[in-house]
Amino acid sequence: MKCPPANLTGRIVRPGDPGYVNASLGWDQLFSHYPLVIVFAQNTQDVVNAVTWARQNDVALRVRSGRHGLEGWSSVDNGIVIDVSELKSVHIGSGSRTVTVGAGLSQLEAVTTLAKQDLAVTTGTEGTVGLSGATLGGGFGFLTRWLGMACDSLVGAEVVVASGTECAEVIKADLSNNPDLLWALRGAGNGNFGVVTSLTYEVTPLKNVAYVQATWQGLGDLHGVFEAWQRTAPFADDRLGTQLEIHRNQILMFAVLAEGPEAKARELLAPILSVGNPKVSVQVGNWGDVYAAFQVPNQKEPANWKFFSQFTTKPFPEKAISVIASFMQTAPTDDSNFFTQAFGGAVRKSPRGGTAFPHRDALFYSEPGVGWGTRGTQPDVHDPLTPEAQAWIAKFSQALRPYVNGAYANVPNVGMQGWETAYWGSNFDRLREIKKKYDPHNVFQYEQSIPPASASHEPT
């Protein structure tokens, strides 16, 4: 199939244009790329034109939404970046059971817009992350144990896919149309099969939440806090979502109880809050207001980040908690942390049509992370702390290996052995077949993208 020569449309930024440096910078400034052109799509046709243009001109393409691609894979040197962040439509369906949103919404925009109608979907906790990127890799946060993964409530998508030898077309993926593609988008959808331009979610009524924050100074209570948390949080009332964040000088716990009063939240968290003498605050209110209040502005965060992702199916023994304590005591910065999210509850149930996200039996997710450097308008490639920070996080991750398994596609690592099964488990072969069907020419590819089944592929 031949197409007429495509022209780029939308808001187009090229090298030399004012704003190019800013337009090419990602959230994690450890990575920098210099694309040939960045297309900020204003509608679906702009995406069709951009994909067709890339194919006709044999130019590498990448897809970008919230710029939080943690290995810098949402951009590419000398290629085209198709940025969907300006697609911000919101349409709440009749009866308020579904919402269809443009792929450009940030998580903060999605949470606050829906909360004005007393509605919710699962999102991650970082407001500046793109909703579509989070959802298409799985997506979890405070509402996960109650509503399941973000991808579990995804019931439809509009997707621009490659067609013929040099064209692109718009297709729908839902339970009636291309259901195999919907399955793949639920957990493996980031940049693998096409460009998602809109997403339709099942939404849930949610008026109020109780938000609890507890702080323990120092790490003296770490064993007690962690043990109490891992023995209770994954098994508590499904409406309770909790996270632990361990820094070198303090332990933080955050919890959200959906549609529950303060007294119930305190009761559910009592086994954890009774350890040591934490400082505890509770806020009850609209989910959008609560979510907006705990956001940290991007400019106050470090410029550079490196994370390792992992899932845990058995509680950490004392030895594993000691590993966390010893590494956090030698953390290179205050922003370095060990982060956990309780699973269980609704995560154990797959939605109608299934999902490519395989880590359903995890007790909790965890992530050692290191943040360093000062944000600027250009990446600082010579930050003196970079070697130390990267060595520390690599050793920390390695020390935890006996106690964890798998990895999260939204928190990838470029050097990971066996990433195919770490991210997608036994679903990888099926994903390759679906890739072959919707993108046989492997137009949508990056360092750890899913190859079509017909391509020769040896696991790295």
Side-chain angles (χ1 to χ4, degrees), residues 43-64:
N43 53 50
T44 301
Q45 188 58 44
D46 293 341
V47 177
V48 173
N49 294 346
V51 174
T52 307
W53 182 91
R55 298 190 73 195
Q56 290 176 343
N57 292 282
D58 198 21
V59 170
L61 70 81
R62 296 291 170 86
V63 189
R64 188 175 77 177

Side-chain angles (χ1 to χ4, degrees), residues 8 12-17 19-26 31-40 53 59-64 67 72-83 379:
L8 294 179
I12 295 161
V13 181
R14 298 181 190 271
D17 289 350
Y20 172 80
V21 171
N22 194 40
S24 56
L25 206 57
F31 307 98
S32 57
H33 291 287
Y34 299 93
L36 187 68
V37 59
I38 301 165
V39 173
F40 289 89
W53 182 91
V59 170
L61 70 81
R62 296 291 170 86
V63 189
R64 188 175 77 177
R67 304 200 196 187
W73 294 335
S74 61
S75 189
V76 61
D77 291 324
N78 303 314
I80 180 172
V81 172
I82 303 172
D83 186 300

Side-chain angles (χ1 to χ4, degrees), residues 368-444:
V370 58
W372 73 101
T374 309
R375 270 182 194 274
T377 52
Q378 304 245 22
D380 178 5
V381 289
H382 301 299
D383 190 302
L385 203 53
T386 298
E388 181 192 338
Q390 291 187 315
W392 176 82
I393 192 75
K395 285 178 190 153
F396 189 1
S397 168
Q398 190 62 31
L400 287 168
R401 284 289 286 280
Y403 315 106
V404 300
N405 49 64
Y408 180 36
N410 277 352
V411 182
N413 268 290
V414 69
M416 192 190 313
Q417 300 294 307
W419 54 268
E420 301 91 340
T421 46
Y423 301 146
W424 296 298
S426 59
N427 293 333
F428 189 66
D429 287 342
R430 184 178 174 194
L431 287 166
R432 291 189 64 194
E433 292 294 337
I434 294 169
K435 172 76 167 179
K436 179 183 173 182
K437 178 174 168 186
Y438 292 97
D439 185 20
H441 299 290
N442 206 15
V443 173
F444 298 96

Side-chain angles (χ1 to χ4, degrees), residues 50-320:
V51 174
T52 307
W53 182 91
R55 298 190 73 195
Q56 290 176 343
N57 292 282
D58 198 21
V59 170
L61 70 81
R62 296 291 170 86
V63 189
R64 188 175 77 177
S65 57
R67 304 200 196 187
H68 280 257
L70 294 178
E71 287 285 12
W73 294 335
S74 61
S75 189
V76 61
D77 291 324
N78 303 314
I80 180 172
V81 172
I82 303 172
D83 186 300
V84 297
S85 65
E86 295 178 8
L87 301 177
K88 292 197 186 288
S89 59
V90 177
H91 177 73
I92 295 174
S94 58
S96 294
R97 291 202 119 108
T98 62
V99 60
T100 299
V101 299
L105 251 62
S106 70
Q107 294 189 136
L108 176 62
E109 290 165 337
V111 170
T112 52
T113 302
L114 288 175
K116 285 183 181 131
Q117 313 291 326
D118 291 333
L119 298 169
V121 294
T122 298
T123 69
T125 49
E126 298 281 340
T128 60
V129 168
L131 177 71
S132 56
T135 301
L136 296 172
F140 53 79
F142 284 119
L143 304 183
T144 302
R145 300 185 63 259
W146 182 45
L147 302 180
M149 305 292 291
C151 69
D152 295 353
S153 57
L154 181 69
V155 294
E158 179 186 77
V159 193
V160 176
V161 295
S163 63
T165 54
E166 58 169 43
C167 313
E169 65 177 328
V170 185
I171 63 172
K172 289 203 172 339
D174 53 40
L175 289 171
S176 309
N177 305 284
N178 306 305
D180 55 347
L181 181 57
L182 177 67
W183 176 87
L185 293 177
R186 289 169 162 175
N190 285 322
N192 274 311
F193 304 97
V195 187
V196 174
T197 48
S198 85
L199 306 98
T200 300
Y201 296 88
E202 264 177 11
V203 288
T204 302
L206 175 60
K207 278 201 160 60
N208 283 313
V209 302
Y211 172 62
V212 182
Q213 181 173 343
T215 309
W216 290 261
Q217 288 308 321
L219 296 180
D221 290 313
L222 179 58
H223 278 267
V225 170
F226 201 99
E227 179 65 12
W229 176 82
Q230 70 174 351
R231 297 285 173 187
T232 58
F235 311 101
D237 185 314
D238 287 1
R239 294 172 302 152
L240 182 74
T242 56
Q243 300 174 350
L244 282 185
E245 206 174 283
I246 299 147
H247 292 258
R248 62 185 179 184
N249 50 11
Q250 60 181 5
I251 304 162
L252 303 168
M253 183 191 68
F254 308 98
V256 167
L257 179 64
E259 298 293 11
E262 175 177 344
K264 183 67 176 172
R266 286 182 178 272
E267 177 196 325
L268 290 168
L269 295 166
I272 309 162
L273 297 178
S274 64
V275 178
N277 187 27
K279 184 180 165 205
V280 181
S281 66
V282 185
Q283 178 190 352
V284 177
N286 172 274
W287 174 226
D289 296 338
V290 168
Y291 185 93
F294 64 62
Q295 297 304 317
V296 176
N298 266 356
Q299 55 270 29
K300 290 196 173 169
E301 295 187 312
N304 309 307
W305 288 91
K306 182 69 183 174
F307 304 92
F308 282 78
S309 61
Q310 52 211 18
F311 294 90
T312 293
T313 48
K314 296 192 182 94
F316 275 0
E318 201 161 297
K319 202 169 165 190

